[in-house]
Amino acid sequence: MDALRKQASKFREQVAKQQQAVIKQFSSSGYESSDVVVIDEVEMQRHHQLEKLYRATRSGKDFQKEIVKAAETFTAIGYKHIETGTKLSEDCSKYGAENNSDNILAKAASVYGDARKHVEKEHEELNLLLSTQVLDPLRQMINGAPLEDARHLAQRYSRMRQEAEAQREEIARRQIRVRESQTAEHVAKLHAAEAKMQELKANMAVLGKEASAALAAVEAQQQRLTFQRLVAMVEGEKTFHLRVAAILGEIEAEMVSDRQKKESAPPVAISENGSEKTMYFLAEATHSFSAESEKELSFSKGDFVVVRKVSPAGWSEGECNGRAGWFPSAYVEKRQRIPSSNSASEVF
């Protein structure tokens, strides 16, 4: 039994080592950096150019992934915001409907509930923009064939360059052997090695140009597309915030206006004891006033008004031209006092 355990433990160690070797092999894949001159300076410049482009496209791809990750998070938060805002809208509308319409809080709740629906609609528009104009184009390029094809060409060039480096060392060894012993076999092997090197050189020239052109095109497309998607994201967020600010500005103005009207509205008339005498007075309108409700009294400049009550809130109640109602006290000037037993018809 112990022998079986030891054998199983040894087998697990071997498997783990093989897995580590495979992981190391794939993690090191890519374009290998090297400062060794394999063929000539022209090839070295091509090698450095490909290395630079390979790193640039990898950096561009990583940046695109970060933008996608952020946009996905914004979208998820947006849907959560929509869910919460919709629930709040329903609650506000329900409170406004179930309470007195004259209640300033109930009216404000109804106004806010209705506006909240428009805010969440703007959130939906922003989420749609992020999905169609940012996420989809970037994902398509990240997983697209042009990028992978160009990088595969560069990787092929890198492997071919390593092969050429090994071949150059092989030629150096063959040359030493020929100098030591110039046999027909040694010379033939040297010529074969040199011929293979020439073939590698020609293949590298063609593949290098193709890989450079492909990577340069992909990098330019990456730069252009990523910039355009960033601008689209900025414009979308800007439009969203401006529209939401406009909606909230409108409902704030409406709420404030309703509160001011409520605070400055004419006081509710309270019936007085018939035995109690109140002194009325005659006043002349110094400004015209147009009633905005049935409780208010309209008159023109120069009309005479029988003032029956003056409120500390800045409103007065009286009669003019056979109608009664409230009006701003500052719109009339007192002329004479009238006993309360007199009516407006007796005055005129």
Side-chain angles (χ1 to χ4, degrees):
M1 197 69 179
D2 291 339
L4 289 175
R5 288 197 187 95
K6 290 180 180 179
Q7 186 176 1
S9 177
K10 184 177 181 180
F11 179 72
R12 283 196 298 270
E13 290 177 358
Q14 291 176 349
V15 171
K17 289 180 180 179
Q18 291 175 354
Q19 289 177 340
Q20 291 295 326
V22 172
I23 292 172
K24 183 177 180 181
Q25 177 182 358
F26 280 102
S27 63
S28 61
S29 62
Y31 194 88
E32 299 295 332
S33 176
S34 175
D35 291 329
V36 177
V37 178
V38 176
I39 297 176
D40 51 29
E41 288 297 329
V42 174
E43 189 283 326
M44 177 60 74
Q45 291 177 3
R46 176 76 68 188
H47 163 64
H48 286 160
Q49 180 188 22
L50 282 172
E51 182 180 5
K52 181 180 178 181
L53 288 170
Y54 192 90
R55 290 179 178 177
T57 54
R58 181 175 60 189
S59 177
K61 181 177 180 179
D62 291 342
F63 182 49
Q64 288 178 335
K65 287 182 177 179
E66 292 300 322
I67 296 176
V68 167
K69 184 178 179 181
E72 288 174 341
T73 303
F74 291 154
T75 303
I77 294 174
Y79 283 122
K80 186 65 177 177
H81 198 292
I82 292 170
E83 179 183 352
T84 304
T86 301
K87 178 64 168 57
L88 178 60
S89 173
E90 294 172 352
D91 292 340
C92 288
S93 298
K94 181 180 178 182
Y95 179 86
E98 292 178 350
N99 290 272
N100 193 330
S101 59
D102 288 338
N103 187 321
I104 188 171
L105 175 58
K107 186 173 182 181
S110 297
V111 170
Y112 182 71
D114 183 63
R116 192 78 240 176
K117 296 177 184 178
H118 297 290
V119 171
E120 302 320 323
K121 182 173 178 58
E122 294 299 332
H123 253 117
E124 292 177 356
E125 292 293 332
L126 177 61
N127 278 1
L128 179 62
L129 180 143
L130 290 175
S131 177
T132 59
Q133 297 190 30
V134 178
L135 289 173
D136 291 347
L138 288 179
R139 285 172 181 157
Q140 184 177 359
M141 183 163 194
I142 290 171
N143 302 317
L147 173 62
E148 293 305 315
D149 291 346
R151 290 168 66 81
H152 286 160
L153 287 175
Q155 291 167 1
R156 281 177 54 196
Y157 184 87
S158 179
R159 291 192 294 270
M160 190 176 293
R161 193 173 192 277
Q162 293 173 12
E163 185 180 353
E165 186 175 351
Q167 190 64 24
R168 188 188 64 172
E169 294 174 356
E170 174 68 15
I171 291 174
R173 288 193 297 268
R174 294 295 178 188
Q175 288 174 341
I176 292 174
R177 289 181 184 178
V178 168
R179 284 195 295 269
E180 291 175 350
S181 177
Q182 194 172 0
T183 64
E185 181 182 359
H186 289 170
V187 171
K189 289 182 178 181
L190 174 60
H191 290 165
E194 291 175 341
K196 185 177 180 180
M197 187 64 173
Q198 289 298 321
E199 183 181 357
L200 281 172
K201 182 178 179 181
N203 291 337
M204 285 176 63
V206 175
L207 183 59
K209 291 179 180 179
E210 185 179 356
S212 296
L215 281 176
V218 167
E219 185 196 22
Q221 186 182 9
Q222 275 184 336
Q223 294 283 323
R224 182 175 61 257
L225 179 67
T226 307
F227 177 78
Q228 291 173 347
R229 296 313 98 200
L230 275 179
V231 171
M233 184 183 296
V234 170
E235 291 177 345
E237 289 190 81
K238 176 186 174 183
T239 302
F240 165 75
H241 289 297
L242 287 175
R243 289 179 177 174
V244 170
I247 293 171
L248 296 179
E250 288 180 4
I251 63 171
E252 180 191 25
E254 187 172 353
M255 288 179 176
V256 171
S257 177
D258 289 341
R259 184 189 63 188
Q260 291 175 344
K261 286 181 180 179
K262 189 72 175 178
E263 292 176 350
S264 62
V268 177
I270 302 175
S271 60
E272 299 178 354
N273 191 331
S275 62
E276 183 178 345
K277 291 187 176 182
T278 304
M279 295 301 294
Y280 297 169
F281 64 87
L282 184 65
E284 182 181 355
T286 57
H287 302 280
S288 298
F289 177 71
S290 297
E292 296 183 359
S293 69
E294 294 180 355
K295 297 179 180 179
E296 297 176 357
L297 175 65
S298 297
F299 50 74
S300 302
K301 180 179 178 181
D303 287 349
F304 287 92
V305 183
V306 176
V307 181
R308 301 186 298 194
K309 184 181 295 183
V310 178
S311 168
W315 287 79
S316 296
E317 193 271 338
E319 294 182 41
C320 179
N321 297 328
R323 295 181 59 85
W326 290 88
F327 56 88
S329 301
Y331 279 50
V332 300
E333 286 185 359
K334 182 178 178 181
R335 290 292 180 258
Q336 67 180 35
R337 188 174 295 276
I338 306 170
S340 59
S341 58
N342 293 341
S343 65
S345 60
E346 292 175 332
V347 173
F348 297 108

